[in-house]
Amino acid sequence: DTGVSQDPRHKITKRGQNVTFRCDPISEHNRLYWYRQTLGQGPEFLTYFQNEAQLEKSRLLSDRFSAERPKGSFSTLEIQRTEQGDSAMYLCASSLEGPKQFFGPGTRLTVL
Amino acid sequence: AQSVTQLDSQVPVFEEAPVELRCNYSSSVSVYLFWYVQYPNQGLQLLLKYLSGSTLVESINGFEAEFNKSQTSFHLRKPSVHISDTAEYFCAVSDPGTGGYNKLIFGAGTRLAVHP
């Protein structure tokens, strides 16, 4: 059990550029979640996968955001045409069954 | 929709003193409740959880929390804090009804600062 990993840990980009983050869940965990955490706030739910199916998306996930989990293992979160308001920590979590979620270290995005 | 209120954004305390971090959630028939801890530049670590059964839950490092359904609260306590407890603490709720347990709803967090 190596834990949830995320890559990169930090990303600095210019406004208007596209960025992609990767999350590798704990092996055999069939559920995967993305959250966003802005400074001074708690994490906010973005989206949820069960295996490769994306079952729930938050209203926070605008059309510029897309998430995939093509083979039910790792997941990617892409942000197109980044805006300064996208600057945040993006957290990934996974679980096997039930409500207990294990979090990765996060990807900190800074949009200049 | 569920919501979580952490009543204190910052709690300063001296080492070896007791501490209570308060958490209230909006009413629901039944919920799962969690406390997570976040150290600087790290992800969230589960501290303790309430799913069912005994209303008092404990962690391995001396924290405890009590589920109070009538007051819709899940306050976190520790009788004697250490410098190493300095961190951000998040209360979270998951609604097991209607499949809602798929996501966690977090409070805004409480920064615990332990001073020598």
Side-chain angles (χ1 to χ4, degrees):
Chain A
D1 182 353
T2 57
V4 178
S5 62
Q6 294 186 244
D7 183 69
R9 294 291 307 276
H10 303 275
K11 179 70 176 179
I12 300 174
T13 190
K14 293 182 179 179
R15 188 175 51 188
Q17 297 295 306
N18 299 342
V19 294
T20 300
F21 309 142
R22 175 179 171 126
C23 170
D24 286 89
I26 293 173
S27 178
E28 297 181 354
H29 277 193
N30 60 341
R31 298 180 177 186
L32 188 146
Y33 312 78
W34 285 97
Y35 293 84
R36 182 174 70 185
Q37 183 180 19
T38 53
L39 200 61
Q41 298 298 318
E44 297 173 289
F45 170 79
L46 291 178
T47 190
Y48 158 71
F49 289 85
Q50 182 157 333
N51 299 312
E52 66 275 9
Q54 187 174 20
L55 298 185
E56 187 170 352
K57 293 171 60 175
S58 162
R59 287 172 293 178
L60 292 174
L61 218 62
S62 74
D63 292 343
R64 296 184 297 105
F65 288 71
S66 62
E68 295 182 343
R69 195 183 182 196
K71 298 182 179 179
S73 56
F74 73 92
S75 174
T76 58
L77 177 67
E78 180 183 17
I79 309 174
Q80 296 182 329
R81 304 181 304 281
T82 52
E83 301 173 355
Q84 288 186 326
D86 298 331
S87 295
M89 176 79 87
Y90 291 84
L91 295 165
C92 176
S94 70
S95 68
L96 182 56
E97 295 290 343
K100 184 178 177 181
Q101 297 179 25
F102 296 84
F103 282 80
T107 294
R108 181 170 295 283
L109 172 66
T110 302
V111 181
L112 302 177
Chain B
Q2 281 285 355
S3 65
V4 177
T5 301
Q6 292 186 243
L7 297 166
D8 306 295
S9 59
Q10 295 186 56
V11 173
V13 64
F14 287 109
E15 194 173 18
E16 298 184 3
V19 70
E20 178 180 79
L21 307 184
R22 296 179 291 171
C23 172
N24 288 88
Y25 61 95
S26 55
S27 180
S28 178
V29 176
S30 63
V31 293
Y32 299 136
L33 293 157
F34 306 83
W35 276 99
Y36 281 85
V37 59
Q38 186 176 36
Y39 298 100
N41 299 315
Q42 295 187 25
L44 280 75
Q45 300 174 28
L46 180 64
L47 191 59
L48 44 76
K49 64 184 183 296
Y50 171 78
L51 303 182
S52 64
S54 173
T55 57
L56 184 65
V57 291
E58 299 177 350
S59 72
I60 58 174
N61 55 355
F63 284 94
E64 64 179 30
E66 185 162 17
F67 168 57
N68 188 319
K69 187 174 182 179
S70 63
Q71 298 188 2
T72 61
S73 68
F74 191 55
H75 300 333
L76 181 70
R77 301 183 183 96
K78 188 170 186 180
S80 176
V81 294
H82 302 289
I83 295 286
S84 59
D85 293 323
T86 295
E88 190 89 20
Y89 291 80
F90 293 96
C91 181
V93 62
S94 178
D95 186 344
T98 65
Y101 67 81
N102 296 331
K103 63 188 178 188
L104 295 172
I105 308 300
F106 285 88
T110 297
R111 176 163 296 280
L112 175 63
V114 182
H115 302 285

